[in-house]
Amino acid sequence: MITLPKPKPDVLARRDAVHEGLRAIMQDRGVITDATKLKPYETDGLSAYRQMPLAVVLPETTEQVAAVLRFCHQNGVRVVPRGAGTSLAGGALPLEDAVVIGMMRMNQIVEVNYRDRYAVVQAGVTNLGITKAVEADGFFYAPDPSSQLACMIGGNIGMNSGGAHCLKYGVTANNVLGIKLVTIEGEILELGGTHLDTAGYDWLGIVVGSEGQLGIATEITVRILRAPEGTRAMLAAFDGNEVAGACVDAIIASGIIPVALEFMDRPAIHACEAFAHAGYPLDAEAMLIIEVEGSVAEQDWLLGQIKEICARFNPISLKVSQSAEESAAIWKGRKGAFGAVGRISPDYLCMDGTIPTSTLPLVLRRIGEMSVQYGLQVANIFHAGDGNLHPLIMFDANDPTSMHKAEAFGADVLRLCVEVGGCLTGEHGVGVEKRDLMSVQFTEIELEAQRRVKSAFDPEWLLNTAKVFPLQAGTASAGPDALPHAA
Amino acid sequence: MQTNFTLDQLADPNIAVADKILRSCVHCGFCTATCPTFVTVGDEDDSPRGRIYLIKDMLETGAPASTPVAFHLDRCLSCLACMTTCPSGVDYMHLIDYARVRVEETYQRPAHDRALRAVLAAVLPYPARMRAALRAASLGRSVRGMIGTRGMLGQRLRAMLDLAPGAVAGRSSTERPGVFKAQGTRRARVALLAGCAQQVIDPGIHDATIRLLTRMGVEVVVAKGAGCCGALTHHLGKHDAALAFARANVAAWTREIGAGGLDAVVTDTSGCGTVLKDYGFLLRDTPEAEDAARIAGLAVDISELLVRLEYQPSVTPPPGMVIAYHAACSLQHGQRVTEAPKALLRRAGFTVVEPRDPHLCCGSAGTYNILQPEMAGRLRERKLGTIAPLKPDAIVGGNVGCLTQLSGTAIPTIHTVVMLDWMAGGPRPETLPSDATIAATRPPAAVAQDAEATWS
Ligand code: SF4
Ligand code: SF4
């Protein structure tokens, strides 16, 4: 189980006063303090980790966020920001002495500007909600994490989320132009603007992916893009994981950049087909979803090239989608993949490592071996094009041994990613889940440099503390209160 | 998701079922995005995932339902949008059904709330009582202005009065058992669920169903001993009453199968259809389990039956007529019947458009609009707000509850089967504007957007 920092006894002792103060700021709306009502907030998409918070606040304006943060800062109260609570890394896991600030009431589209191709949205707008707001006019917002239906743009900023289509369009960081950020002191900063490359330091580069540790984003200006003339998906089925991995490597090595290049292995194919009825090849060991876009001629040419490459790897079948409905079904299966695995296993840990694509066959083989070694099933689903792995380790949370094994298995997978030259997280963030593995990736000096950035924004370490950095004795910058205690 | 039940608790078959459902939820949160209450109030406690968590906690601790739990579960519409969205196949319906029973059994509601629920359960399922109540409501409307708008009680009273039709129709043809003979050669024999409130609120719906089916060569039976499907009491958590209704219906139709055979049990109220199709589960632990499963297997929505019978129109609609199809949640989520009604209406010659966010409930949800007038009102406004830009000549749907909920604007609300009957030789719906008015309203250029409830 994960270790959380020792709650501050003085804050716990002032529980009622803190509740009172929050209610006064919020004028009695959107402050949750009742234990029963707090319960559903004790966890997020990583439900194996749970901790009841001190209170939940649901602000409706940036000013309220600022007032709540100012209050927490003045009173030394920790804060955990929360979007839709879909984090698979425990990014929104509360602390016993922390106030959770839930951003889901800030769900308005503030402005859409087609001429300069940007949209200003509040942090609680869902990722898909942005595209829905502009798609009738032929635009879209590119990053598309699998949870895009539900996850919120504020959380995407925190975790620098990616998605299937990031192979071509880049991740959140490449699609954000401006952020209204509230600091822990309650100051409202306007970072970036409505166009690329504002003058001065690249503040957006620091804030995007900072996992809610530097401030809370309340309003985000995102780049919206013209939708392509058309897209087409194809399915390539293979009789082994490694050969499919080798095929991915060959496609990327040939210089072709499809909009998406996704990998699913046998357990994943079966689970997703049961949910989406997309015509996935049930006899295959591994399958690639490859999507291209552009004019019909461009699509045909690209698909022709890709088919030729696939043919070199003895595919069982190659199938090009013939209609928009068929493509939609293919993606529905892929995007619902994590949940669909819930059909074959009560619980899973979704890992999120990134590796150089050339090491795919090796990494897949090693994961297969670990699966045997730990006696736990794995479904492999991932953004193969950019080497972002999502092995889903299936376990039974009602059985503690199984859970410990899954955690150890997951850690081994991530160590393997680092070993082959990759990194711990592609898009889910570090959260609490991978916190203790950060020292596998970084030296103590590198970690200390990162901690100093956090300290510059939040000297008392009140914002989403206990995430990202390993809790260890002797790290002065984490503050004495961050020292671990036995949980 | 992890659960924490003792072996003793799991020995209770209801807990065992709940445990299985809870275990299948992976807590991914996808369902929050399509839940009408979550998108309206933005609180995890009013989301499907939050409710699942509240239920888990209530069942695990074995404690009586607390006020907050009752509050948030009561706010659930049972629209089942969450089930359509859930990639993990979580059976939310049976979980919330059981949770409602637990709340009813263990939670002491405030006196006025208890009284209202008792009245609803005692009146709505019985057509004669319902008619009497509506007549009283017509009188009541004259004193509506005197009822305060503050406080739950006042809001609820007003909500009830607002839902009552202006004029109360006389007894409908389906209130007595009977057989309606097929015209020409008989192709099929079906039992029609006469049900309860609908035949009082709008008897024209059953009339249209019977006319249309008999014209198509179907013999329609209103079986003796069958009545309310049980949905109304079921959703109030009144388990025993609901079971009694279900049992009576299963017995009546099973007798009918023995007497003349049945090819289907058809309903033109989709809210009832969802429950009919669930009879097998509802009565799983009773001696009637097998019969119930058979009846559930025979249950169809009228639109499904008409597709099967290859409905054909005989006349064409007035030129320029555009109708907005409103997907009732009990059809689109409860029964997953999404395309059949639209396909039939298009086959009948209508131009069919759909509002944005068709997956979101209109707030009707059985007795919800009476018990939760505030949330229901917000959902009604939202739904009407997405329909208005389509400038339709009528709002058409398959559930009387929605039609009542969305009425009261200049746009008439009409049942799908009434429109289909009209195009097959039946009478023109009285509430429709004249042909000249229809022709004068230009059909909108923009058609359905966002037809998909899920991601694409
Ligand atoms: S979508 Fe399904 S699995 Fe995911 S949280 Fe909702 S009910 Fe649970
Ligand atoms: S049934 Fe409807 S209101 Fe209830 S939780 Fe599901 S989506 Fe929300």
Side-chain angles (χ1 to χ4, degrees):
Chain A
M1 238 354 238
I2 200 81
T3 314
L4 294 176
K6 205 194 283 184
K8 299 179 173 185
D10 62 309
V11 172
L12 293 184
R14 281 181 287 134
R15 172 186 294 267
D16 292 343
V18 171
H19 290 172
E20 274 316 302
L22 293 171
R23 274 199 206 95
I25 293 169
M26 297 291 293
Q27 293 171 343
D28 275 336
R29 265 172 72 90
V31 179
I32 302 174
T33 54
D34 175 276
T36 312
K37 285 183 187 252
L38 285 176
K39 193 85 180 155
Y41 285 93
E42 72 173 1
T43 184
D44 56 13
L46 182 62
S47 65
Y49 299 153
R50 298 174 294 272
Q51 172 60 55
M52 287 279 273
L54 189 69
V56 171
V57 178
L58 306 173
E60 290 166 49
T61 63
T62 299
E63 288 66 35
Q64 281 183 337
V65 174
V68 171
L69 284 177
R70 204 175 301 126
F71 172 82
C72 290
H73 181 243
Q74 279 160 3
N75 290 281
V77 178
R78 291 177 172 134
V79 171
V80 174
R82 178 181 168 111
T86 52
S87 172
L88 292 165
L93 180 75
L95 296 169
E96 193 184 340
D97 58 352
V99 172
V100 170
I101 301 190
M103 297 300 289
M104 50 275 211
R105 289 194 173 169
M106 293 190 63
N107 62 358
Q108 301 302 309
I109 308 267
V110 180
E111 184 196 348
V112 175
N113 184 322
Y114 290 122
R115 208 155 157 204
D116 294 326
R117 292 185 292 123
Y118 67 83
V120 183
V121 303
Q122 289 185 326
V125 172
T126 61
N127 172 294
L128 190 64
I130 303 178
T131 293
K132 286 277 174 204
V134 298
E135 70 182 356
D137 298 300
F139 282 80
F140 77 113
Y141 173 64
D144 59 338
S146 296
S147 57
Q148 69 176 144
L149 174 74
C151 68
M152 293 171 181
I153 188 70
N156 289 183
I157 298 287
M159 298 309 195
N160 192 11
S161 306
H165 291 82
C166 291
L167 182 54
K168 179 162 177 183
Y169 293 107
V171 292
T172 303
N174 310 106
N175 289 274
V176 167
L177 302 173
I179 294 177
K180 191 180 272 187
L181 187 83
V182 186
T183 67
I184 186 69
E185 284 98 0
E187 197 182 341
I188 302 170
L189 306 178
E190 304 268 1
L191 307 177
T194 54
H195 52 87
L196 280 175
D197 284 340
T198 44
Y201 286 119
D202 182 12
W203 293 111
L204 295 178
I206 293 182
V207 170
V208 176
S210 63
E211 307 209 5
Q213 293 203 311
L214 307 184
I216 296 187
T218 57
E219 230 174 76
I220 295 100
T221 307
V222 296
R223 160 78 68 230
I224 50 173
L225 300 170
R226 263 242 169 257
E229 291 157 271
T231 61
R232 226 172 331 151
M234 73 174 261
L235 295 177
F238 300 89
D239 61 8
N241 278 353
E242 285 181 53
V243 64
C247 182
V248 170
D249 187 31
I251 293 172
I252 299 295
S254 77
I256 295 173
I257 309 262
V259 239
L261 178 42
E262 299 285 301
F263 178 109
M264 292 164 105
D265 70 357
R266 189 183 189 90
I269 295 169
H270 282 252
C272 296
E273 178 64 15
F275 161 58
H277 309 293
Y280 289 171
L282 295 174
D283 53 342
E285 285 302 320
M287 174 186 91
L288 301 177
I289 301 173
I290 309 162
E291 187 171 80
V292 299
E293 64 182 18
S295 64
V296 174
E298 203 177 342
Q299 294 172 25
D300 285 344
W301 186 82
L302 280 168
L303 286 172
Q305 297 281 308
I306 293 169
K307 272 197 223 161
E308 246 171 59
I309 298 172
C310 290
R312 302 209 303 261
F313 295 87
N314 297 321
I316 305 176
S317 64
L318 294 174
K319 191 174 108 187
V320 176
S321 137
Q322 299 301 328
S323 67
E325 290 77 42
E326 217 178 305
S327 294
I330 288 175
W331 281 113
K332 183 177 173 187
R334 168 61 188 87
K335 300 224 159 163
F338 297 171
V341 167
R343 289 170 187 259
I344 50 176
S345 169
D347 303 277
Y348 60 75
L349 279 184
C350 175
M351 308 317 291
D352 168 47
T354 301
I355 54 166
T357 50
S358 62
T359 61
L360 258 180
L362 167 78
V363 170
L364 288 174
R365 193 179 67 236
R366 292 278 297 279
I367 291 177
E369 288 162 7
M370 291 179 202
S371 164
V372 176
Q373 180 198 329
Y374 281 101
L376 293 175
Q377 258 200 305
V378 180
N380 279 298
I381 300 170
F382 53 86
H383 312 308
D386 44 17
N388 185 189
L389 300 173
H390 292 312
L392 297 167
I393 300 170
M394 295 176 236
F395 69 103
D396 179 350
N398 281 8
D399 168 2
T401 342
S402 160
M403 163 125 188
H404 289 312
K405 274 201 220 162
E407 284 177 319
F409 185 172
D412 278 356
V413 170
L414 295 180
R415 276 193 206 99
L416 173 65
C417 291
V418 175
E419 202 178 291
V420 300
C423 83
L424 289 178
T425 168
E427 55 188 5
H428 296 174
V430 178
V432 276
E433 186 213 13
K434 292 176 281 263
R435 182 189 71 190
D436 297 333
L437 287 167
M438 282 289 272
S439 38
V440 176
Q441 177 108 50
F442 297 105
T443 64
E444 186 46 41
I445 293 171
E446 289 165 334
L447 284 174
E448 184 52 30
Q450 295 173 48
R451 285 195 194 100
R452 285 190 189 169
V453 174
K454 160 124 180 98
S455 295
F457 279 81
D458 175 20
E460 285 97 35
W461 281 61
L462 295 175
L463 273 164
N464 217 16
T465 192
K467 316 276 166 74
V468 184
F469 298 104
L471 293 184
Q472 50 187 243
T475 55
S477 54
D481 292 322
L483 294 182
H485 73 117
Chain B
M1 188 164 57
Q2 187 177 8
T3 55
N4 246 318
F5 291 108
T6 62
L7 286 177
D8 268 1
Q9 286 176 308
L10 289 170
D12 174 347
N14 287 315
I15 296 288
V17 170
D19 178 58
K20 215 166 143 239
I21 299 170
L22 290 167
R23 298 279 279 137
S24 70
C25 170
V26 295
H27 217 253
C28 67
F30 280 27
C31 52
T32 58
T34 56
C35 170
T37 57
F38 180 77
V39 300
T40 306
V41 299
D43 180 352
E44 178 82 12
D45 293 336
D46 276 313
S47 78
R49 183 177 61 174
R51 292 188 175 111
I52 289 171
Y53 218 76
L54 290 170
I55 295 171
K56 172 171 129 71
D57 194 44
M58 168 176 80
L59 297 181
E60 282 174 352
T61 58
S66 61
T67 306
V69 168
F71 176 83
H72 291 295
L73 298 191
D74 282 353
R75 284 237 280 224
C76 168
L77 297 134
S78 277
C79 71
L80 306 183
C82 46
M83 286 183 69
T84 299
T85 303
C86 176
S88 196
V90 172
D91 183 359
Y92 179 81
M93 177 174 86
H94 288 135
L95 187 66
I96 186 81
D97 283 352
Y98 177 56
R100 289 193 202 284
V101 174
R102 274 294 279 258
V103 170
E104 201 54 25
E105 283 171 1
T106 63
Y107 177 62
Q108 178 77 346
R109 294 180 181 283
H112 66 85
D113 195 12
R114 236 174 322 150
L116 176 56
R117 284 162 186 272
V119 167
L120 292 176
V123 172
L124 292 184
Y126 306 96
R129 297 183 201 170
M130 174 79 179
R131 186 173 310 100
L134 285 184
R135 293 224 163 95
S138 304
L139 290 176
R141 224 188 306 257
S142 51
V143 296
R144 183 186 186 281
M146 288 151 59
I147 301 171
T149 48
R150 296 169 74 93
M152 194 62 143
L153 193 59
Q155 281 185 25
R156 282 170 163 181
L157 278 175
R158 277 180 167 243
M160 270 200 281
L161 293 179
D162 289 347
L163 289 170
V168 182
R171 185 180 282 179
S172 100
S173 52
T174 50
E175 263 177 65
R176 288 277 166 76
V179 176
F180 301 84
K181 290 278 174 220
Q183 290 177 23
T185 334
R186 190 175 101 183
R187 296 164 71 193
R189 185 169 190 270
V190 304
L192 172 67
L193 170 77
C196 53
Q198 174 183 292
Q199 49 185 334
V200 182
I201 295 170
D202 188 352
I205 299 173
H206 279 339
D207 295 344
T209 298
I210 292 168
R211 267 196 311 271
L212 182 56
L213 286 178
T214 51
R215 201 185 294 124
M216 291 171 77
V218 179
E219 181 168 302
V220 181
V221 186
V222 175
K224 185 159 182 260
C228 170
C229 66
L232 289 169
T233 38
H234 188 46
H235 292 143
L236 290 170
K238 301 193 185 296
H239 187 58
D240 294 341
L243 280 198
F245 283 120
R247 276 206 165 109
N249 287 343
V250 167
W253 292 322
T254 304
R255 276 197 300 276
E256 211 46 63
I257 294 175
L262 284 180
D263 297 303
V265 174
V266 63
T267 165
D268 51 20
T269 318
S270 59
C272 308
T274 309
V275 174
L276 287 193
K277 290 180 177 179
D278 198 37
Y279 273 3
F281 181 88
L282 263 182
L283 296 175
R284 66 193 183 285
D285 294 326
T286 68
E288 299 93 335
E290 215 174 288
D291 289 342
R294 182 178 331 123
I295 297 298
L298 284 174
V300 287
D301 182 71
I302 180 70
S303 61
E304 293 175 283
L305 183 64
L306 290 172
V307 168
R308 212 187 280 171
L309 294 169
E310 296 176 344
Y311 165 85
Q312 290 299 340
S314 57
V315 292
T316 49
M321 179 156 185
V322 173
I323 59 177
Y325 176 70
H326 165 69
C329 293
S330 41
L331 257 192
Q332 63 175 344
H333 305 307
Q335 302 180 49
R336 304 281 164 98
V337 175
T338 52
E339 295 312 310
K342 287 182 274 180
L344 289 164
L345 289 165
R346 292 204 172 100
R347 197 183 297 167
F350 296 108
T351 301
V352 181
V353 294
E354 268 194 285
R356 277 191 57 171
D357 298 334
H359 60 278
L360 286 184
C361 179
C362 66
S364 166
T367 52
Y368 190 91
N369 47 7
I370 297 170
L371 295 167
Q372 300 283 339
E374 206 234 312
M375 181 73 76
R378 286 166 82 173
L379 292 172
R380 174 179 186 266
E381 290 314 306
R382 180 176 179 137
K383 185 58 80 181
L384 288 172
T386 55
I387 292 176
L390 306 171
K391 296 203 176 64
D393 298 300
I395 299 169
V396 178
N399 191 45
V400 69
C402 312
L403 300 179
T404 315
Q405 172 80 349
L406 295 175
S407 64
T409 71
I411 312 169
T413 58
I414 304 172
H415 196 287
T416 311
V417 78
V418 172
M419 299 297 277
L420 296 176
D421 176 50
W422 173 31
M423 286 301 108
R428 188 181 204 279
E430 284 164 21
T431 48
L432 266 188
S434 70
D435 285 9
T437 317
I438 289 172
T441 332
R442 272 234 323 258
V447 190
Q449 297 171 355
D450 302 339
E452 278 285 293
T454 47
W455 56 92
S456 57

